[in-house]
Amino acid sequence: MRRTDRARRLIAAPPATVYGALLDRESLEAWLPPDGMRGRVERWDPWPGGGFRMVLTYLDPVDSPGKTSDTTDVVDVGFAALVPPERVVQRAVFESDDPSYAGTMTMTWHFTAAGDGTEVTVTATDVPPGINQLDHEVGIASSLANLASYVEAAD
C-alpha cells in the first residue's frame, strides 16, 4: 500500500517568488537537494507535459546508499500541472533496479499567501515503500528550509 508524506513551511517571500524558484533550473539545483546531497539537472523542460531529470549525489553515501547507485539517486520528474503562483504538480520516477522504489510518486507544491510571506505545503502521494517515511519527511523539510534561505536572500 502506497502512502502520503507531507511537510510545510512559512517562507518570507511572495508566492510568485517561491513559485518561480521551482521553475528555474539554477534555482532548483541550488535549493532542492536536501542536506547531505548536491544536485545536477541533466534535462530541463519547464512547461506542463515537460519536466526534468535530476541526479542527486550523496556527499557521504556510507549511511545513505543511493537508489540508483551507491552514491546517487536519479529521478525523472514530469510537470503534470503548473498553476502560477498557486501550485506545481510533479510526477517523479526513480531510476532503480530495486522494485521497492518502482512507481510514480506525485509531489504537489501548494503556495498560499500568508501575510507578507507564503505558506508552502508539499504533499507526496504514492510514495514507493522503499523510501523511509521519516527520512522522506525530514528530506522534504530540509529542501523547504533550503528554499526559504534561497528565496528570502534574493527577496
Side-chain angles (χ1 to χ4, degrees), residues 20-77:
L22 272 83
L23 294 176
D24 178 79
R25 180 183 191 148
E26 290 77 23
S27 297
L28 201 69
E29 284 180 329
W31 67 261
L32 185 61
D35 289 343
M37 301 184 92
R38 74 172 174 269
R40 182 181 80 252
V41 173
E42 292 188 332
R43 176 180 50 81
W44 185 250
D45 302 307
W47 57 77
F52 62 95
R53 178 180 176 87
M54 181 170 258
V55 177
L56 295 160
T57 303
Y58 289 90
L59 301 177
D60 182 8
V62 173
D63 292 327
S64 304
K67 296 169 191 64
T68 307
S69 74
D70 289 342
T71 60
T72 63
D73 292 346
V74 177
V75 62
D76 284 304
V77 178

Side-chain angles (χ1 to χ4, degrees), residues 139-154:
I140 296 169
S142 176
S143 292
L144 283 172
N146 295 342
L147 173 60
S149 294
Y150 185 84
V151 298
E152 289 169 359

Side-chain angles (χ1 to χ4, degrees), residues 29 32 48 61 88 112 129 134 136 148 152:
E29 284 180 329
L32 185 61
V88 173
T112 305
L134 178 60
H136 194 219
E152 289 169 359

Side-chain angles (χ1 to χ4, degrees), residues 86-109:
E86 299 171 8
R87 182 170 32 106
V88 173
V89 181
Q90 303 168 329
R91 302 235 192 278
V93 177
F94 288 97
E95 187 176 289
S96 180
D97 292 332
D98 185 337
S100 70
Y101 297 114
T104 301
M105 175 175 65
T106 301
M107 300 282 294
T108 303
W109 301 73

Side-chain angles (χ1 to χ4, degrees), residues 118-137:
T118 304
E119 182 176 24
V120 180
T121 304
V122 181
T123 306
T125 56
D126 294 326
V127 179
I131 299 174
N132 175 280
Q133 184 169 14
L134 178 60
D135 291 345
H136 194 219
E137 289 175 342

